[in-house]
Amino acid sequence: GAGVSQTPSNKVTEKGKYVELRCDPISGHTALYWYRQSLGQGPEFLIYFQGTGAADDSGLPNDRFFAVRPEGSVSTLKIQRTERGDSAVYLCASSLRLDLRDEQFFGPGTRLTVL
Amino acid sequence: SQQGEEDPQALSIQEGENATMNCSYKTSINNLQWYRQNSGRGLVHLILIRSNEREKHSGRLRVTLDTSKKSSSLLITASRAADTASYFCATKKQTGANNLFFGTGTRLTVIP
């Protein structure tokens, strides 16, 4: 595809519900990253994948958050028992390789609102 | 947690003027990147400067890096109303993590 795509663009849910956020990276990009951006702040790292495996999940805030990338392409970020504090824009990025020099290309984000 | 901070938090200038934004960071880095963001959504990569570089240009953008002071600046010359956006610096650590560490951002408003 032309760029990283994310669905849905907006998600409104109630406290305690389960949500899934999807990311389609650029075709051929092996590295995929998830970030979370709260209002007025810069993005904060959550997790990144090299291929199908999570290379670093140290940014996930707690065990309610989980992400998968079963076929090494599309990734899903899953949030259980959502809380109001989870409200943020969730950004996905991909890069050609997991390499310090590689540029990350960002998707438009999913705005999650937990009521 | 945030790796860096941008200064100023907000900047308002007239079209045609130059805009300068500064970024400070905390750890040794492999490279530093500047991103632009409109309306709190997708980030657009502007420019990357490596730790062994001191200055880089791209069109109307000029980036400097001072690793001894752990700081960088982004200069946008001859600003346009379309440059109105938030600008973030992001760093990649020298070793270990491959993710980006973002600063807090500068909100630039260019008045036509």
Side-chain angles (χ1 to χ4, degrees), chain A residues 51-69:
Chain A
T52 61
D56 185 343
D57 64 357
S58 62
L60 295 177
N62 51 59
D63 61 5
R64 295 187 297 105
F65 288 73
F66 189 70
V68 295
R69 195 185 184 200

Side-chain angles (χ1 to χ4, degrees), chain A residues 63-111:
Chain A
D63 61 5
R64 295 187 297 105
F65 288 73
F66 189 70
V68 295
R69 195 185 184 200
E71 297 178 357
S73 178
V74 170
S75 176
T76 304
L77 179 66
K78 308 180 181 191
I79 310 174
Q80 299 176 321
R81 304 183 304 280
T82 51
E83 300 178 355
R84 293 194 178 89
D86 298 335
S87 296
V89 175
Y90 289 81
L91 296 163
C92 176
S94 70
S95 64
L96 190 59
R97 297 178 302 269
L98 190 65
D99 189 295
L100 288 174
R101 297 162 294 180
D102 271 4
E103 177 185 344
Q104 293 182 21
F105 295 85
F106 281 81
T110 294
R111 185 180 300 280

